């Protein structure tokens, strides 16, 4: 086996292993990672890369390291779930940075956060005026949660005592032109019903449909393969590749 | 169908991990001779013994067989070994040949010991 071939085999094996380990470690979104999670992820990735391309090391000890890091990460995840104290120790706690409209500078220093950073985070949440904020909490995973003053909160139907209808999740009936038979079955419907509804509600044939979603009121959202966007909506403003 | 999906969902990852661990730990198995043609340790002992007995011509021909055996095994253990160790063994093969060409028993001793030490480490 030549050296490039060894790299290819090691790559395939490590890639598949990493896929399995990632699935074991869960579905946490990158934006929800703590700093520690992030560092752990990078370490696991680095070990995997080293197994793949560094032929100057035996793969097994490195692979054992990969298993150990994944195991430790899994262990800390379980420990955080099972024990609140451990969870606080590993992930930290939410920290109030604005209380009753007052910015708490001491807490900002503790978080090594500048007032400019805080302002930026507020703006990214659509708050451009500090007067609107009652509470702001820095979450352990780096997000800023904001509670606006009651006079700045948007009015909801319940404030106006307007009755609303239940709104559940939409269910895909056609995806990429393919009828989702199991979803139809879950709703006690069938393909004939779908064809009929498409004809009645949208006056189109099933073959033309790219995406069809049914909402909790039984209303269909339908997108067809043929796009009819007018040329005036093209955002490209220069000639060349798009 | 549900059972099959479950078997695939849990069985496939388990198979991947088990296969990887087995392959990466199979160095000792790959190193083991499958006949006399790829018995590196035996050929090394032969070549070295002949050289130390002063039978230089026979020792050189035994070294040729050692080289062929090593090339056979090298291909098998390359996946589970450290490349630096493989290259060291290659260098020591050349050193051994040099010692035979110079008919220098001291150098034969040194090269043999070094090769034995590295050979023992393969697959661990």
């Amino acid at each position: 086996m030549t050296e490039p071939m060894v790299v290819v085999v090691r790559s395939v094996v490590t890639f598949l292993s990493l896929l399995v380990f990632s699935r074991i470690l869960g579905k946490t979104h990158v934006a929800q990672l703590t700093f520690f999670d992030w560092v752990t992820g990078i370490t696991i990735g680095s070990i995997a890369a080293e197994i793949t391309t560094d032929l100057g090391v035996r793969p097994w000890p490195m692979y054992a390291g990969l298993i150990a890091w994944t195991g430790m990460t899994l262990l800390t995840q379980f420990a955080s779930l099972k024990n609140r104290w451990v969870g606080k120790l590993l992930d930290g706690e939410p920290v109030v940075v604005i209380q009753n409209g007052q910015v708490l500078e001491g807490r900002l220093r503790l978080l090594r956060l500048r007032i400019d950073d805080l302002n930026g985070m507020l703006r990214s949440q659509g708050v451009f005026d500090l007067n609107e904020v009652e509470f702001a909490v820095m979450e352990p995973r780096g997000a800023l949660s904001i509670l606006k003053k009651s006079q700045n909160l948007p009015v909801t139907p319940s404030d106006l005592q307007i009755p609303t209808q239940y709104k559940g999740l939409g269910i895909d009936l056609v995806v990429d032109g393919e009828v989702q038979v199991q979803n139809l079955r879950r709703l006690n419907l069938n393909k004939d019903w779908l064809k009929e509804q498409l004809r009645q509600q949208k006056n189109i044939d099933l073959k033309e449909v790219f995406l069809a979603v049914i909402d909790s009121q039984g209303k269909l959202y339908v997108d067809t393969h043929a796009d009819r966007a007018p040329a005036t909506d093209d955002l490209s403003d220069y000639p060349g590749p798009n | 169908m549900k059972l099959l999906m479950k078997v695939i969902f849990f069985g496939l990852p388990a198979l991947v991990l088990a296969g990887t661990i087995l392959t990466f730990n199979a160095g000792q198995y790959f190193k083991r001779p499958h006949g006399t043609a790829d018995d590196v340790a035996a050929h090394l002992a032969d070549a070295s013994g002949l050289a130390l007995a002063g039978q230089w011509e026979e020792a050189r021909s035994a070294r040729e067989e050692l080289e062929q055996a090593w090339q056979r095994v090298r291909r098998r253990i390359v996946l589970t070994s450290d490349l630096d160790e493989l290259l060291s063994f290659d260098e020591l093969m050349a050193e051994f040949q040099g010692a035979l060409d110079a008919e220098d028993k001291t150098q034969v001793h040194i090269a043999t010991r070094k090769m034995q030490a590295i050979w023992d480490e393969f697959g661990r």
Side-chain angles (χ1 to χ4, degrees):
Chain A
M1 200 183 281
T2 58
E3 278 138 30
M5 201 58 208
V6 174
V7 171
V8 170
V9 173
R10 281 194 189 188
S11 300
V12 171
V13 164
T14 313
F15 177 85
L16 291 174
S17 302
L18 211 54
L19 198 67
V20 174
F21 291 146
S22 309
R23 292 286 284 132
I24 290 172
L25 288 179
K27 295 180 178 175
T28 312
H29 193 268
V30 174
Q32 294 170 331
L33 296 179
T34 61
F35 182 71
F36 183 67
D37 293 335
W38 183 65
V39 171
T40 308
I42 288 177
T43 307
I44 290 173
S46 303
I47 296 173
E50 201 132 323
I51 295 173
T52 301
T53 53
D54 190 354
L55 298 183
V57 290
R58 290 181 198 166
W60 169 240
M62 300 289 281
Y63 196 78
L66 194 67
I67 295 172
W69 270 87
T70 308
M72 289 296 290
T73 310
L74 200 63
L75 208 69
T76 54
Q77 283 179 356
F78 275 120
S80 307
L81 274 178
K82 294 281 175 198
N83 189 306
R84 199 168 150 72
W85 186 85
V86 176
K88 277 187 182 181
L89 186 77
L90 294 173
D91 292 342
E93 280 186 291
V95 178
V96 176
V97 287
I98 299 178
Q99 192 167 23
N100 299 324
Q102 291 287 306
V103 176
L104 305 176
E105 296 88 354
R107 301 274 174 87
L108 288 182
R109 267 198 299 277
L110 205 70
L111 293 167
R112 286 177 291 283
L113 203 68
R114 293 173 305 162
I115 187 68
D116 293 339
D117 298 328
L118 181 65
N119 278 332
M121 289 168 113
L122 287 168
R123 283 195 297 273
S124 69
Q125 299 256 33
V127 177
F128 286 79
D129 184 358
L130 269 166
N131 282 318
E132 294 177 12
V133 182
E134 191 78 84
F135 277 94
V137 180
M138 195 68 197
E139 303 293 350
R141 290 173 193 273
L144 186 72
S145 304
I146 297 162
L147 177 67
K148 285 186 181 179
K149 287 179 179 165
S150 55
Q151 62 269 32
N152 294 107
L153 287 171
V155 179
T156 62
S158 71
D159 292 331
L160 303 173
Q161 294 178 341
I162 298 170
T164 55
Q165 278 186 307
Y166 170 76
K167 197 167 172 66
L169 291 172
I171 295 172
D172 298 337
L173 299 183
V174 179
V175 177
D176 217 353
E178 207 172 293
V179 177
Q180 305 298 300
V181 181
Q182 61 179 17
N183 287 353
L184 280 171
R185 219 178 285 148
R186 263 171 55 201
L187 298 168
N188 286 325
L189 303 171
N190 56 36
K191 213 168 165 180
D192 293 333
W193 175 89
L194 179 63
K195 279 181 185 168
E196 183 59 26
Q197 289 300 310
L198 287 170
R199 200 183 55 76
Q200 275 181 15
Q201 289 190 30
K202 306 284 175 183
N203 196 26
I204 50 172
D205 192 69
L206 183 58
K207 275 182 266 176
E208 297 172 58
V209 178
F210 171 71
L211 176 73
V213 183
I214 189 165
D215 69 13
S216 49
Q217 268 86 50
K219 201 173 157 206
L220 282 175
Y221 166 84
V222 177
D223 184 73
T224 55
H225 286 291
D227 294 324
R228 296 188 191 90
T232 47
D233 290 347
D234 188 354
L235 295 177
S236 176
D237 58 357
Y238 68 97
N242 287 317
Chain B
M1 190 66 183
K2 258 189 179 174
L3 185 73
L4 181 72
M5 291 301 283
K6 227 173 202 179
V7 168
I8 292 172
F9 189 79
F10 292 105
L12 212 60
L15 202 71
V16 166
L17 296 186
T20 307
I21 292 169
L22 275 177
T23 308
F24 283 164
N25 278 295
Q28 282 287 344
Y29 173 76
F30 292 141
K31 175 180 147 180
R32 210 177 292 160
H34 297 157
T36 47
D38 60 353
D39 194 342
V40 173
H43 284 297
L44 178 61
D46 271 357
S48 175
L50 288 166
L52 295 175
Q55 296 171 273
W56 297 107
E57 206 49 55
E58 289 84 350
R60 275 190 279 272
S61 121
R63 201 213 71 89
E64 286 300 317
E65 286 173 18
L66 169 64
E67 175 78 45
Q68 285 167 14
W70 164 239
Q71 289 307 329
R72 281 200 181 95
V73 176
R74 194 188 197 281
R75 277 197 293 270
R76 295 204 301 258
I77 61 172
V78 67
L79 184 67
T80 54
S81 301
D82 168 355
L83 183 67
D84 294 340
E85 283 177 342
L86 297 175
L87 293 175
S88 295
F89 203 87
D90 288 340
E91 276 175 28
L92 286 170
M93 286 292 291
E95 209 173 300
F96 188 61
Q97 187 175 15
L100 294 180
D101 291 344
E103 300 188 354
D104 183 339
K105 286 187 183 177
T106 312
Q107 287 303 318
V108 169
H109 257 306
I110 294 169
T112 306
R113 288 288 182 202
K114 281 184 181 174
M115 284 163 91
Q116 273 170 348
I118 293 185
W119 177 254
D120 290 342
E121 277 301 309
F122 281 133
R124 282 205 176 153

